[in-house]
Amino acid sequence: ALQLDPFHAEALHGYALWLRTGADNCTAAHEIYERAIALRPDDVNLLVNHAINLQFGLDRIADANATFQTALALAPGDLYLLSSYAVFLDHVTGSEEAGMRYWMMALDSPEVAAEAVRLERDGSCYYPAPSDDSLSP
């Protein structure tokens, strides 16, 4: 796809993800993320994945935080963003409490509520209760 259109932001995003996770080349991934972000600066998933690369791949904590802040300004209720930022804070501070606020915000997100409604509607969140016989020794 990139050979046909080297300015295809979604293809660049996918390539950067592969470079980071499949090829373990976070430096090259960073360059590709930068190209994709120049094309789609409001793409929250792209920003989050770039921040993760900055944090875990390149140990550029301040840049990762700035990228997360940009994404939070764009989509403060995004589930992927909130949960990723919670992990970021947990790792950076070494304290679960630092990210807890964002975990709680993620759990309260409309995406989680919609998924819970879907699971309930589909019957996916219910497990058959064990019979009393199965509980006795």
Side-chain angles (χ1 to χ4, degrees), residues 51-130:
I52 291 168
N53 186 59
L54 288 166
Q55 176 190 6
F56 291 109
L58 301 175
D59 199 32
R60 292 174 49 181
I61 303 305
D63 291 334
N65 189 48
T67 303
F68 274 121
Q69 293 304 316
T70 299
L72 285 164
L74 292 169
D78 183 85
L79 176 61
Y80 180 53
L81 167 59
L82 293 171
S83 59
S84 296
Y85 192 57
V87 171
F88 169 79
L89 290 174
D90 180 46
H91 282 117
V92 169
T93 65
S95 166
E96 290 179 10
E97 293 172 16
M100 189 56 67
R101 173 176 166 229
Y102 290 92
W103 278 117
M104 298 311 293
M105 288 169 61
L107 291 174
D108 287 339
S109 77
E111 292 171 68
V112 171
E115 182 65 5
V117 168
R118 184 193 69 76
L119 289 172
E120 183 174 349
R121 182 191 68 232
D122 295 347
S124 302
C125 63
Y126 296 109
Y127 297 94

Side-chain angles (χ1 to χ4, degrees), residues 15-40:
Y15 183 46
L17 277 170
W18 177 80
L19 285 168
R20 176 172 61 88
T21 60
D24 197 26
N25 189 342
C26 296
T27 301
H30 172 70
E31 294 172 15
I32 301 300
Y33 278 124
E34 291 288 319
R35 285 177 49 197
I37 290 168
L39 297 168
R40 289 187 35 196

